[in-house]
């Protein structure tokens, strides 16, 4: 039995973007599900636009998502001699030929075809001219002139192209370099790929690639083209819809498991389930459930999944990630303090960046606590300040333990004595200790802050 093999083949001309990451995830999942091979191939033949920094960034993003590969990364830029061998084979077998037509001549042929209302293409002038290799020749595939090239797309179903639409396209340029389609096919044959999953922006390359396979007498892999991702306005997802790079989402505080789960669901479904662990995905993934129409990227759903994973994640890992999102001067020396703060925020934060913002008041020096001016004007009234002074006195003197229970009892005694509702002191207290009108529960917040900080802050706010 042949081992299932897939590959992710990014061009390192930019960061790993949402669409590329989703393709990579599908390939990786399909390989893992079928106990197959997942290969990473860097398509860096465009020397002007490819950079090692981008290759590094793509590898980092794959690593972050946990997409481990079994072989590679292979670099196309290091494999030119292999591509040239294949071109040579095609020429020797009569399936490709050298052509001396200049780009201007080819443009003229295209124009003539256009005028006749035909598809603009190279007219095959050198096809049977027996031209020898020379400094000014390109190598073209001798493509079939009639018939159709067909394949059953794993996602979109049967697809067929009229061969008359395709021309004798170039396999090797005048400067000796192999073209994109040739290199892809050679690699996919050499790497024994069984399934090619890629974005549907490549669908027009597929018939050309099939013709190269056929000319080489090689077995065809199966092809599946996944639909593109759209923005909320149903236009192709682009920068104006928000960040495209996967790692920008890491920086915004999304967890890799949320990103993985979200991207898989964007185009794949399993019953009506939404939450999938990595293991679930490996077990349940199948190409049959890939949708054939374009999907809309919805950052709110990603955030919803992220909050779910934040709730599920161990405190110590959250502490590591949270640290990356905090300003250096806010990172406490005592890590256990951070680990006490996190459970209070874990149910409230949509992203780790948001958690970092929520954690800030716990971490600033008491004298640096920033107050929201509106909240101060509304809640720190002269009357409220008097309450806060009395409360500070009581918390200083009446409590042995500074924990939620004792705090709750002390406050209930206080409001009974004063014949006031808790409401009269809740917001002033919250503003005093956090600077804001929203925070986790008051008693748990005070317990974590500890007596000293609470007293300092009450004194500062009531002074
Ligand atoms: N290098 C191509 C890209 O980044 C992928 C080609 C393929 O998967 O066949 O879009």
């Amino acid at each position: 039995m042949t081992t299932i093999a897939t590959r992710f083949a990014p061009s390192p001309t930019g960061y790993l973007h949402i669409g590329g990451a989703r393709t990579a995830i599908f390939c990786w999942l399909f390989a893992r599900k079928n106990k197959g091979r997942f290969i990473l191939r860097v398509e860096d033949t465009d020397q002007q636009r490819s950079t090692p920094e981008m290759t590094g960034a793509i590898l980092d993003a794959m690593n972050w998502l946990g997409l481990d590969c079994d072989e590679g990364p292979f670099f196309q830029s290091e494999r030119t001699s292999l591509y040239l061998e294949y071109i040579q084979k095609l020429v020797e077998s009569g399936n490709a030929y050298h052509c001396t037509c200049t780009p201007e001549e080819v443009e003229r042929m295209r124009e003539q075809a256009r005028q006749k209302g035909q598809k603009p293409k190279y007219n095959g002038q050198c096809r049977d001219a027996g031209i020898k290799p020379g400094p000014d020749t390109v190598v073209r595939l001798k493509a079939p002139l009639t018939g159709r090239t067909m394949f059953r797309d794993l996602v979109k179903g049967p697809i067929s192209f009229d061969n008359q639409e395709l021309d004798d396209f170039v396999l090797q340029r005048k400067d000796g370099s192999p073209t994109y389609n040739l290199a892809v096919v050679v690699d996919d044959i050499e790497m024994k790929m069984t399934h090619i999953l890629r974005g549907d922006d490549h669908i027009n390359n597929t018939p050309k690639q099939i013709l190269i396979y056929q000319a080489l007498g090689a077995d065809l892999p199966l092809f599946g083209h996944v639909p593109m991702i759209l923005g909320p306005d149903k236009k192709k997802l682009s920068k104006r819809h928000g960040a495209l790079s996967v790692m920008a989402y890491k920086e915004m505080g999304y967890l890799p498991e949320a990103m993985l789960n979200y991207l898989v669901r964007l185009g794949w479904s399993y019953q009506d389930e939404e939450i999938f662990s990595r293991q679930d995905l490996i077990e349940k993934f199948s190409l049959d459930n890939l949708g054939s129409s374009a999907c809309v990227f919805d950052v709110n759903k990603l955030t919803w999944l992220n909050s779910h994973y934040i709730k599920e994640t161990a405190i110590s890992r959250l502490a590591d990630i949270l640290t990356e999102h905090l300003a250096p001067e806010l990172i406490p020396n005592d890590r256990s303090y951070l680990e006490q703060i996190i459970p209070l925020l874990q149910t409230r934060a949509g992203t780790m960046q948001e958690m970092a913002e929520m954690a800030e008041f716990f971490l600033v020096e008491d004298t640096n606590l920033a107050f929201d001016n509106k909240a101060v004007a509304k809640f720190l009234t002269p009357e409220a300040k008097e309450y806060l002074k009395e409360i500070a006195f009581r918390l200083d003197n009446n409590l042995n333990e500074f924990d939620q229970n004792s705090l709750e009892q002390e406050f209930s005694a206080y409001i009974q004595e004063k014949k006031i509702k808790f409401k009269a002191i809740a917001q002033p207290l919250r503003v005093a200790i956090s600077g804001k009108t929203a925070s986790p529960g008051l008693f748990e917040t005070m317990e974590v802050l500890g007596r000293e900080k609470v007293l300092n802050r009450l004194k500062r706010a009531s002074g």
Side-chain angles (χ1 to χ4, degrees):
M1 221 182 73
T2 13
T3 311
I4 299 269
T6 64
R7 85 296 194 279
F8 179 52
S11 305
T13 53
Y15 293 100
L16 181 61
H17 55 82
I18 297 288
R22 188 186 58 158
T23 307
I25 294 170
F26 287 155
C27 294
W28 174 83
L29 272 178
F30 188 64
R32 291 290 167 264
K33 157 91 191 198
N34 293 289
K35 308 216 172 344
R37 298 150 58 229
F38 174 59
I39 286 178
L40 177 61
R41 181 170 81 221
V42 179
E43 302 202 321
D44 56 349
T45 44
D46 182 342
Q47 284 176 1
Q48 250 115 56
R49 293 173 58 227
S50 304
T51 65
E53 289 71 32
M54 286 306 146
T55 301
I58 292 170
L59 295 179
D60 285 349
M62 290 184 65
N63 204 15
W64 181 64
L65 289 169
L67 308 181
D68 55 322
C69 60
D70 304 303
E71 294 160 47
F74 297 103
F75 292 87
Q76 283 194 326
S77 58
E78 294 168 2
R79 297 166 63 83
T80 311
S81 58
L82 182 70
Y83 307 139
L84 299 187
E85 269 171 42
Y86 271 80
I87 293 171
Q88 183 65 22
K89 255 193 244 173
L90 286 167
V91 173
E92 279 166 11
S93 64
N95 285 296
Y97 60 91
H98 286 268
C99 162
T100 49
C101 296
T102 62
E104 294 73 31
E105 283 172 303
V106 175
E107 192 40 53
R108 237 175 281 136
M109 294 170 195
R110 292 203 171 118
E111 190 45 45
Q112 276 165 6
R114 263 186 225 112
Q115 279 170 8
K116 285 191 217 151
Q118 293 165 354
K119 173 122 181 160
K121 58 182 207 176
Y122 172 68
N123 71 5
Q125 185 166 292
C126 299
R127 203 173 150 103
D128 296 308
I131 292 165
K132 294 265 168 300
D136 286 331
T137 62
V138 299
V139 175
R140 289 181 181 275
L141 183 81
K142 201 180 256 186
L145 300 171
T146 55
R148 301 186 75 80
T149 296
M150 291 181 270
F151 64 101
R152 179 174 287 277
D153 192 281
L154 295 164
V155 182
K156 295 178 186 272
I159 294 187
S160 149
F161 287 82
D162 190 337
N163 287 341
Q164 284 184 359
E165 304 267 304
L166 308 167
D167 63 0
D168 286 354
F169 57 90
V170 175
L171 302 174
Q172 184 175 10
R173 300 184 192 91
K174 216 159 81 171
D175 65 6
S177 62
T179 55
Y180 169 74
N181 281 314
L182 182 277
V184 168
V185 172
V186 170
D187 280 341
D188 286 336
I189 294 173
E190 286 281 322
M191 295 172 186
K192 301 190 170 47
M193 288 300 118
T194 59
H195 292 73
I196 311 290
L197 300 174
R198 58 187 169 206
D200 67 3
D201 47 335
H202 284 285
I203 212 155
N204 288 331
N205 286 326
T206 305
K208 294 185 186 175
Q209 294 182 7
I210 290 177
L211 293 181
I212 303 177
Y213 278 97
Q214 287 168 342
L216 286 165
D219 289 341
L220 285 180
L222 296 171
F223 295 93
H225 293 87
V226 292
M228 61 180 164
I229 302 177
L230 306 177
D233 57 0
K234 305 278 159 70
K235 303 234 166 76
K236 188 175 184 316
L237 191 67
S238 74
K239 276 222 175 91
R240 70 199 155 81
H241 295 116
L244 286 184
S245 137
V246 168
M247 290 308 251
Y249 287 85
K250 174 179 190 260
E251 271 146 44
M252 286 185 256
Y254 289 91
L255 300 177
E257 44 276 60
M259 200 71 196
L260 184 79
N261 189 153
Y262 178 71
L263 289 177
V264 176
R265 277 288 292 110
L266 198 57
W268 175 83
S269 58
Y270 184 82
Q271 295 159 6
D272 52 4
E273 290 177 28
E274 286 296 352
I275 310 259
F276 298 91
S277 70
R278 183 173 294 265
Q279 203 45 44
D280 283 341
L281 288 172
I282 294 174
E283 276 160 28
K284 295 175 177 165
F285 187 75
S286 125
L287 297 177
D288 301 339
N289 299 340
L290 276 183
S292 57
S293 47
C295 303
V296 173
F297 185 77
D298 176 1
V299 77
N300 295 325
K301 187 168 168 197
L302 171 62
T303 308
W304 171 76
L305 276 169
N306 204 45
S307 349
H308 164 80
Y309 284 102
I310 290 177
K311 288 187 198 106
E312 299 267 295
T313 299
I315 304 294
S316 79
R317 180 165 160 235
L318 289 179
D320 291 339
I321 303 175
L322 183 60
T323 305
E324 292 167 21
H325 289 272
L326 290 172
E329 67 276 13
L330 292 180
I331 301 171
N333 292 331
D334 175 11
R335 186 180 154 103
S336 69
Y337 183 45
L338 211 51
E339 295 189 352
Q340 286 170 54
I341 297 170
I342 291 172
L344 273 53
L345 306 178
Q346 213 174 357
T347 50
R348 305 168 66 95
T351 65
M352 292 306 290
Q353 185 55 38
E354 198 184 347
M355 189 186 282
E357 284 154 23
M358 291 174 171
E360 202 173 317
F361 81 82
F362 283 99
L363 300 166
V364 287
E365 295 286 339
D366 300 328
T367 45
N368 287 343
L369 179 70
F371 288 98
D372 167 358
N373 290 336
K374 270 200 200 140
V376 169
K378 185 161 178 206
F379 294 109
L380 294 186
T381 58
E383 188 188 20
K385 285 183 180 182
E386 283 314 306
Y387 292 145
L388 294 181
K389 274 187 198 146
E390 288 174 5
I391 290 167
F393 181 82
R394 297 176 73 122
L395 298 187
D396 199 8
N397 297 288
N398 298 1
L399 293 187
N400 291 329
E401 298 292 328
F402 201 81
D403 58 17
Q404 282 190 61
N405 263 345
S406 323
L407 284 161
E408 215 167 327
Q409 279 169 22
E410 188 59 31
F411 274 90
S412 111
Y414 177 67
I415 58 174
Q416 269 176 32
E417 270 173 41
K418 302 290 287 185
K419 300 195 174 27
I420 54 173
K421 293 225 156 63
F422 185 61
K423 214 176 138 216
I425 51 168
Q427 282 307 68
L429 198 56
R430 199 183 296 280
V431 175
I433 62 174
S434 73
K436 301 177 290 191
T437 50
S439 77
L442 273 173
F443 300 128
E444 49 185 0
T445 300
M446 285 194 270
E447 177 180 332
V448 170
L449 276 168
R451 192 190 314 248
E452 193 188 329
K453 280 184 167 301
V454 170
L455 291 181
N456 286 343
R457 292 176 186 203
L458 288 180
K459 283 177 192 152
R460 192 167 162 232
S462 59

